[in-house]
Amino acid sequence: MVWTYGGGFTGGSKSQNTPEGLFSLSKDFIFVAYNYRLGMTGLANGPTFLHERGTSNAALWDVEQAFKWTRKYINKFGGDPESITAVGFSAGASQTLFQLTRFAGHAEQLFAQVYVQSPGFVPGAGHHRAETFWQNVSSPVGCDGGSLACMRNVNFTTLQDAGTSVTSDYTYQFQPRVDGDFVVDTYEAQFYQNRFSFSGPFVVTHEVHEANSRAWSGVNTTVDVSTYLKIFFPSITNDVIQQLLEYYPDSDYSSPGLRFSDMKQSFDLTAHNLAATHALGNNTWNALIALGGATHGTDQSYYWYSSYTRVTSSGGSSGGNSTAGAGGVAPDGGMGGGMGGALSSGSVRMQKYLVSFILTGNPNQMWSSDKTYWPKYGANATNLVFTNGTFYTAKDDLAVPRTTFWNQALWY
């Protein structure tokens, strides 16, 4: 199992998750985790940067290298390079999907099977936006004109702080961007156009309220909704905006801010799931997470739950339960903390689906009497719904025209 953590491409670490809860079910797999570059060092892009021989989207190249390393050396640890399962959450899930579409699908497949949770990626694009950001970061640190040689000599903390400041001031999204090379197009668009390299077992999940339970700050009118669509997608045309306003009618929401939040949930998170599912011929296992508030990251405390006893540096022990939320995400999407209560039966069931998938390529194969049968997506667009009670099947809430519309990437 190769784990890729989340954190919005700006935070997170391989050390935030430990697999004790999964190992309590089986020790017949090897757990691999790694770091990748974040923020400025991982996502620098733009015409000047590339003209001066910079490598755009370095974070994605890091992930490719991690999988190549695993394929090359995992046999030294008793593993099988042909049985690698890629597991990721949020930005880490998107990192996994970028590997399927890298170089427009003309690269080799790096892993045998995929289990991704809430892929998160804001697909903003455009040379002008990337160039403006690069110049706005380079000037404050004393590198007018965006000289790459100059930028490489800037103190790391200074560089990161400048990038964070500009991101805040200009509503710039620190995300991988189309560069005509590793990222020929946004990955949902490439899935829609059938430009990817993968065949194998595939699981993808999303939360009920990934990002739509709170109104988006600054969006107070219908005009603001259109304005913010243009902020995220500078090249979007008025006819595409009009179509989106019709797909998300004002009458469905109690405020414009909630209306835009629902749009953002689609283009940032959930639409990606349907793109990958359709590209793989609906031959996938899909799930809807309805645990607690079911906001982004709620499921992580369940997947990583463990009842092990932690030994402290002083030699004592802190008993009880432990959870390690990916990217610092706690239940209901909050930061820090964990479930903290008694071992959840929902956690064990979810872990059994994951471990069964890792070991057999099928979430149903092992502990079948302990779990609800998880059917494939198929022609009926079937989701398994994870709840704190009985798990059940239902039609996919993403199987609607507006989701497909996002995946056409007509804003680009």
Side-chain angles (χ1 to χ4, degrees), residues 311-317:
V311 178
T312 66
S313 58
S314 61
S317 64

Side-chain angles (χ1 to χ4, degrees), residues 97 114-119 191 198 200-208 210 269-290 299 303 350 353 357 361-364 372-387 391-400 403 407:
L97 298 183
V114 171
Y115 195 119
V116 287
Q117 305 144 2
S118 301
F191 279 129
F198 180 77
F202 190 97
V203 171
V204 60
T205 71
H206 72 283
E207 310 262 5
V208 176
E210 292 277 10
L269 291 152
T270 56
H272 309 322
N273 293 29
L274 193 67
T277 298
H278 284 175
L280 294 168
N282 294 349
N283 189 31
T284 58
W285 287 279
N286 298 54
L288 176 66
I289 311 301
D299 60 344
Y303 278 118
M350 289 168 65
Y353 284 121
F357 183 79
N362 185 328
N364 300 300
T372 302
Y373 179 76
W374 189 347
K376 287 190 174 180
Y377 192 85
N380 294 323
T382 303
N383 272 341
L384 181 64
V385 183
F386 293 178
T387 73
F391 290 11
Y392 63 92
T393 59
K395 185 172 181 179
D396 184 16
D397 61 315
L398 305 180
V400 292
T403 309
N407 292 330

